[in-house]
């Protein structure tokens, strides 16, 4: 429905001739199963990508049921803190208290996912860019590639000490949905994994996109289509197992510039923030009674009951 352009270097492993053969074999099994299925159930909502749902149905000749965003099933703070985790802790309340100390829409939240494959050199540039913003930020470093090297830099460079007070570094699990839903969050720098992208949309905050691999560059394009974020400027996939071949793609200047494009004063920035809030409102309405995802779930259940009845007859 829209003209989408990607560099060859941004394509996911599925289109990478040198990709892992075992992974390609697994993808082929997934595609074979999808072709035999009665339909596709998607963690999304129709208002976000209605044209793409329609095209997917037309192209695959399969019904598509958008039943998300599933993260919105977590209603209160305790549910949000427990999402993807069995046990809560006092850390969650500490994060909330820290966020409570900042004005609305003033804090940058940065998380490149649990499979973050950015090199230490790239993460250092990211950190120095965050420092240069002079804004408060939360930076999640969980699961980073080259973790020991990164820890060494943090200690020897004195980064944590310099940003103490306005910079909160988290090196373990993080209650992302809880943090994103806090009024103090003003922007979310994300790797564009689908869960994180959708959670950011549900929070109604602008996205600063920093894709790394898989389908993340394609998800970044959707963010650009609906105009709720800006790209930090990543140009190439960091393939798993090939991190040592990666170079620094995003400089501290890129980080500073992209964050300033969605925070602060100015009509263009306010328009991005307003669109982000509107999509969050659409997401909430989609799962409420009578909403598109609510209705799709009912239709999905009816479809399964119908199929079961046909099998029994």
């Amino acid at each position: 429905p829209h003209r989408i352009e990607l560099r060859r270097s941004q394509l996911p492993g599925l289109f990478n001739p040198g990709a892992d053969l075992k992974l390609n074999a697994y993808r082929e099994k997934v595609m074979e199963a999808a072709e035999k299925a009665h339909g596709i159930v998607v963690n999304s909502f129709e208002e976000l990508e209605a044209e793409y749902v329609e095209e997917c149905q037309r192209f695959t000749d399969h019904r598509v049921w958008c039943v998300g965003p599933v993260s919105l099933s977590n209603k209160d703070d305790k549910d949000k803190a427990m999402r993807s985790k069995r046990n809560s802790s006092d850390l969650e309340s500490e994060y909330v208290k820290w966020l409570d100390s900042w004005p609305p829409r003033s804090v940058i939240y940065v998380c490149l996912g649990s499979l973050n494959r950015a090199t230490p050199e790239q993460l250092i540039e990211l950190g120095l860019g965050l420092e240069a913003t002079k804004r408060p930020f939360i930076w999640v470093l969980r699961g980073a590639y080259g973790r020991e090297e990164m820890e060494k830099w943090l200690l020897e460079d004195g980064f944590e000490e310099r940003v103490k007070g306005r910079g909160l570094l988290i090196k373990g699990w993080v209650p992302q949905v809880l943090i994103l839903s806090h009024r103090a969050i003003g922007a979310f720098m994300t790797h564009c994994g689908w869960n994180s992208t959708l959670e950011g949309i549900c929070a109604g905050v602008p996205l600063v996109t920093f894709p790394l691999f898989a389908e993340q560059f394609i998800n970044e394009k959707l963010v650009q289509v609906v105009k709720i974020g800006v790209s930090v400027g990543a140009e190439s996939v960091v393939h798993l197992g090939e991190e040592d071949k990666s170079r620094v793609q995003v400089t501290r200047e890129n980080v500073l510039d992209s964050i300033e494009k969605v925070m602060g004063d100015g009509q263009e920035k306010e328009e991005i923030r307003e669109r982000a809030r509107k999509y969050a409102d659409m997401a909430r309405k989609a799962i409420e009674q009578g909403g598109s995802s609510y209705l799709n779930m009912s239709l999905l259940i009816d479809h399964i009951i119908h199929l079961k009845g046909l099998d029994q007859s």
Side-chain angles (χ1 to χ4, degrees):
H2 303 93
R3 181 173 175 81
I4 302 296
E5 295 185 5
L6 291 118
R7 295 170 180 264
R8 184 178 298 176
S9 61
Q10 295 173 327
L11 295 175
L14 179 64
F15 302 103
N16 177 19
D20 188 289
L21 293 178
K22 290 182 179 179
L23 195 56
N24 280 342
Y26 174 74
R27 290 191 185 101
E28 288 176 8
K29 288 183 179 180
V30 171
M31 296 298 290
E32 184 180 342
E35 288 176 6
K36 295 177 180 178
H38 287 285
I40 306 167
V41 183
V42 186
N43 178 23
S44 186
F45 58 105
E46 290 184 359
E47 291 81 356
L48 177 64
E49 44 185 337
E51 302 106 321
Y52 293 91
V53 171
E54 183 179 336
E55 284 298 298
C56 185
Q57 291 182 142
R58 184 186 66 81
F59 181 76
T60 64
D61 199 28
H62 282 354
R63 180 65 190 272
V64 176
W65 292 278
C66 291
V67 298
V70 298
S71 62
L72 288 180
S73 63
N74 304 112
K75 299 296 184 182
D76 57 32
D77 285 353
K78 184 177 180 181
D79 282 342
K80 292 172 185 176
M82 294 289 282
R83 180 168 162 78
S84 302
K85 188 171 184 253
R86 292 182 179 179
N87 299 310
S88 186
S89 71
D90 292 336
L91 282 175
E92 279 84 64
S93 60
E94 287 184 23
Y95 300 150
V96 172
K97 287 179 183 177
W98 187 86
L99 286 165
D100 286 343
S101 68
W102 296 101
R105 305 295 178 183
S106 64
V107 178
I108 307 158
Y109 174 62
V110 181
C111 181
L112 300 184
S114 56
L115 293 177
N116 175 11
R117 310 315 291 172
T119 63
E121 293 80 9
Q122 178 60 85
L123 291 176
I124 288 169
E125 282 295 306
L126 171 54
L128 293 174
L130 291 173
E131 182 181 6
T133 66
K134 307 297 182 184
R135 298 180 183 276
F137 63 86
I138 295 178
W139 185 15
V140 181
L141 284 167
R142 176 194 182 204
Y145 170 79
R147 186 166 186 166
E148 290 183 4
E149 189 176 339
M150 193 63 193
E151 290 280 0
K152 182 180 178 182
W153 176 79
L154 288 171
L155 182 64
E156 294 180 354
D157 183 74
F159 177 82
E160 285 188 87
E161 187 61 32
R162 291 200 306 274
V163 301
K164 189 175 181 179
R166 73 174 177 92
L168 179 62
L169 272 66
I170 303 177
K171 300 169 186 177
W173 181 87
V174 60
Q176 180 161 289
V177 173
L178 178 65
I179 289 174
L180 283 171
S181 65
H182 196 282
R183 60 178 179 78
I185 299 298
F188 176 22
M189 182 179 288
T190 173
H191 64 305
C192 290
W194 185 243
N195 282 339
S196 289
T197 302
L198 205 53
E199 287 165 6
I201 290 170
C202 291
V205 296
L207 305 180
V208 178
T209 56
F210 193 157
L212 295 168
F213 64 99
E215 89 296 353
Q216 294 165 10
F217 282 92
I218 299 173
N219 294 341
E220 178 185 54
K221 293 300 180 183
L222 178 62
V223 172
Q224 293 170 4
V225 164
V226 296
K227 300 179 180 179
I228 56 171
V230 299
S231 172
V232 79
E235 296 181 347
S236 302
V237 169
V238 181
H239 292 292
L240 292 174
E242 299 180 5
E243 293 83 1
D244 58 336
K245 299 179 184 178
S246 181
R247 58 182 176 82
V248 173
Q249 302 183 48
V250 178
T251 66
R252 65 196 74 176
E253 291 80 14
N254 295 145
V255 172
L256 174 61
D257 181 59
S258 59
I259 288 172
E260 291 307 312
K261 284 180 179 177
V262 297
M263 298 186 77
D265 300 325
Q267 182 178 347
E268 189 174 346
K269 300 171 189 177
E270 182 54 41
E271 287 175 354
I272 292 175
R273 293 193 289 264
E274 180 60 27
R275 280 192 294 270
R277 288 191 287 268
K278 285 182 178 179
Y279 274 102
D281 187 51
M282 291 181 205
R284 284 190 293 271
K285 289 180 179 178
I287 66 164
E288 293 174 355
Q289 187 168 354
S292 60
S293 293
Y294 184 97
L295 292 174
N296 274 330
M297 181 61 80
S298 298
L299 291 170
L300 173 60
I301 292 169
D302 289 343
H303 184 79
I304 293 170
I305 292 172
H306 176 68
L307 291 175
K308 187 175 181 182
L310 290 177
D311 288 342
Q312 290 176 344
S313 63

